[in-house]
Amino acid sequence: MTGASSVPVSSGPTTSGPTITRATVTPILIGDPPLLNTQGVHQPYTPRMIVELETDAGVTGVGETYGDTDYLTIAERLAVAVVGQPLSCLNRLGTLVGGDSSAPESTRLDVGGLRGVRTSTKLTASVVSAFEVAALDALGRTTGLPVHALLGGKVRDRVEYSGYLFYRWAEHPVPDAPADDWGDALDPDGVVAQAQRFADRYGFTSFKLKGGVFPPEEEIAAINALRAAFPEAPLRLDPNGAWSVATGISVANELANVVEYLEDPTLGVTGMSEVYRKTGVPLATNMCVTTFAEVPAAFAADAVQVVLSDHHFWGGLVATRELAALCRTFGVGLSMHSNTHLGISLAAMTHVASTVPDLLYACDTHRPWQTEDVITEPHTFSGGCVDVSDAPGLGIELDRDNLARFHERWKAGDVRNRDDVSAMRVARPEWTQPAMPRW
Ligand code: GKR
Ligand code: MG
């Protein structure tokens, strides 16, 4: 960390308003289809965490974030620390977490890099985000205001999402895994059929293909097939850094007039900057820049043209708006990244997205791939959009039966962390974590 020393705030300023009387952290496992990426394949069940904050006014707010063990450990600490704090302690949540702030920041990659760097600051921010969203939900329910109003008010009534296409198997290679009827998608025809179903069912008018699964020529063919089937649709390809700089440059040149942007074609600021400089194709990222600390070098090198914010990584909805201001200042675009998530996170994403004026790209969401949820009335997509709720708080209700069921599943199972490499090994025992770049 650099910069001016900050005033200690742990004891907290005087604040009126409701007080947090109880904080509950519930780890759950949710069903996930066999979606392929450069690391391997999604596990049949993936961990998420639901946070509930209850106040002395009898109001409860909810939040959601990653549920891997390291996140849970921090969340359990924060759950103790927030009790007795005012509901409006959002700006102090990071301080309340405690822990050793002098510990060196590790720079290993998270889930093989699918989520960018893994640092203790980012882990903390990802946990804080769920508490912040729960506090905003509770504040909204207390005041009768929607979360977007607490963030300054929406500037649009609907938030647009893009259809998130994945190469996938029809089913997981293990008995009793959750199943769906999407079938497989392993070539350009399969990808186009998946996109068509997404368009018919949800009205998506732009598409992103998760790449880094097959050699680049095959993925270029899939993008060209999508272009032929959807002549007007903005298209994106995201190999999660699986290409060398030279491959990134060659794919960018091939798809220069086809894609809206390429997402993380290669790893790191230097490589991204070179791909952009040599091709002029805009590059988006949820790997090269996922924390405020990574912004200065990446922006200075012109390594990213669109930051895909993720309110979990960045520390919540207020932090996402701070990121939006930074991007605006430096002329960098902003959109939204997603990992497997449920309706609480979709509600949070939609509220914050509705308040950012210059959100010029359809946001990512995995939500259409999920067959279950922890909210009573899952969102519907129409015309590729989700309506922004004007109901108090997030505008959703927790489905307590489902929450209990998914928590029982977590207790009964042994999945504690996302691990796409091990999941792939079930079908292909010789599979090891791919060395990057793969191509
Ligand atoms: O769900 O396999 C996946 C994605 O690869 C996800 O983990 C990424 O974080 O969606 C993400 C991305 O845009 O890179
Ligand atoms: Mg990405």
Side-chain angles (χ1 to χ4, degrees):
M1 293 279 289
T2 55
S5 60
S6 54
V7 178
V9 289
S10 48
S11 57
T14 324
T15 318
S16 57
T19 297
I20 299 169
T21 49
R22 191 184 165 97
T24 314
V25 172
T26 309
I28 58 173
L29 285 183
I30 58 169
D32 210 13
L35 307 180
L36 299 165
N37 58 41
T38 204
Q39 294 293 324
V41 64
H42 286 206
Q43 297 143 292
Y45 294 101
T46 201
R48 294 293 285 176
M49 172 203 314
I50 307 303
V51 171
E52 292 170 75
L53 295 182
E54 216 175 299
T55 71
D56 56 357
V59 170
T60 301
V62 295
E64 172 190 345
T65 189
Y66 299 106
D68 305 47
T69 303
D70 287 351
Y71 298 86
L72 271 179
T73 308
I74 299 171
E76 276 153 12
R77 237 170 38 222
L78 187 52
V80 173
V82 291
V83 172
Q85 295 291 330
L87 197 48
S88 55
C89 65
L90 307 184
N91 292 331
R92 291 188 298 113
L93 286 170
T95 315
L96 289 169
V97 169
D100 182 6
S101 60
S102 65
E105 292 277 63
S106 106
T107 47
R108 72 194 160 105
L109 296 175
D110 202 357
V111 195
L114 294 169
R115 300 175 191 159
V117 292
R118 180 187 183 91
T119 63
S120 55
T121 308
K122 186 167 152 194
L123 281 175
T124 299
S126 303
V127 171
V128 161
S129 72
F131 283 74
E132 187 231 37
V133 167
L136 285 168
D137 185 32
L139 277 171
R141 287 167 185 270
T142 306
T143 56
L145 293 171
V147 164
H148 69 73
L150 302 177
L151 298 172
K154 62 183 177 181
V155 295
R156 57 181 67 82
D157 288 319
R158 316 186 75 208
V159 170
E160 191 186 354
Y161 290 89
S162 71
Y164 197 162
L165 311 176
F166 276 84
Y167 291 110
R168 58 163 290 168
W169 297 328
E171 52 195 32
H172 286 285
V174 286
D176 302 326
D180 63 24
D181 62 358
W182 281 82
D184 67 14
L186 296 164
D187 57 19
D189 286 350
V191 168
V192 169
Q194 192 185 90
Q196 192 58 60
R197 186 164 169 183
F198 263 128
D200 294 345
R201 189 178 282 195
Y202 304 109
F204 292 124
T205 56
S206 66
F207 300 100
K208 156 172 163 173
L209 174 62
K210 173 58 53 182
V213 177
F214 295 113
E217 328 57 273
E218 293 182 40
E219 299 186 349
I220 290 171
I223 292 291
N224 283 328
L226 283 168
R227 169 54 67 240
F230 301 92
E232 306 298 330
L235 300 175
R236 307 151 184 183
L237 175 59
D238 174 15
N240 283 114
W243 303 333
S244 66
V245 172
T247 304
I249 290 171
S250 127
V251 176
N253 282 330
E254 285 245 12
L255 294 179
N257 298 313
V258 185
V259 287
E260 179 181 35
Y261 55 66
L262 277 182
E263 197 174 313
D264 291 305
T266 197
L267 290 178
V269 166
T270 310
M272 290 279 283
S273 154
E274 193 175 339
V275 174
Y276 179 62
R277 212 174 46 250
K278 299 231 166 101
T279 67
V281 172
L283 306 182
T285 190
N286 61 273
M287 294 175 65
C288 180
V289 181
T290 57
T291 61
F292 285 101
E294 292 165 294
V295 166
F299 284 15
D302 222 357
V304 301
Q305 287 65 53
V306 182
V307 174
L308 302 171
S309 74
D310 176 316
H311 74 270
H312 311 90
F313 297 167
W314 290 87
L317 307 190
V318 172
T320 301
R321 286 181 48 81
E322 289 171 353
L323 172 65
L326 207 50
C327 287
R328 189 179 316 126
T329 307
F330 284 90
V332 171
L334 183 81
S335 188
M336 252 184 217
H337 160 260
S338 135
N339 260 292
T340 302
H341 65 90
L342 295 174
I344 301 174
S345 280
L346 184 59
M349 289 156 72
T350 303
H351 276 281
V352 71
S354 80
T355 70
V356 176
D358 33 13
L359 191 78
L360 304 178
Y361 305 89
C363 301
D364 285 356
T365 176
H366 281 61
R367 180 61 190 81
W369 287 114
Q370 263 45 69
T371 52
E372 50 194 19
D373 210 325
V374 286
I375 60 173
T376 53
E377 287 178 44
H379 300 83
T380 50
F381 292 82
S382 74
C385 297
V386 170
D387 289 340
V388 181
S389 168
D390 290 322
L394 290 170
I396 54 166
E397 295 301 330
L398 197 55
D399 182 328
R400 294 200 168 276
D401 292 341
N402 276 358
L403 182 65
R405 212 154 51 81
F406 305 157
H407 179 55
E408 284 306 314
R409 185 190 278 160
W410 182 87
K411 285 202 295 191
D414 57 3
V415 176
R416 290 294 176 264
N417 296 298
R418 178 174 171 187
D419 184 354
D420 298 5
V421 174
S422 300
M424 180 59 115
R425 220 175 273 140
V426 174
R428 294 176 54 182
E430 77 290 358
W431 186 261
T432 52
Q433 173 146 38
M436 292 292 159
R438 283 184 71 186
W439 292 281

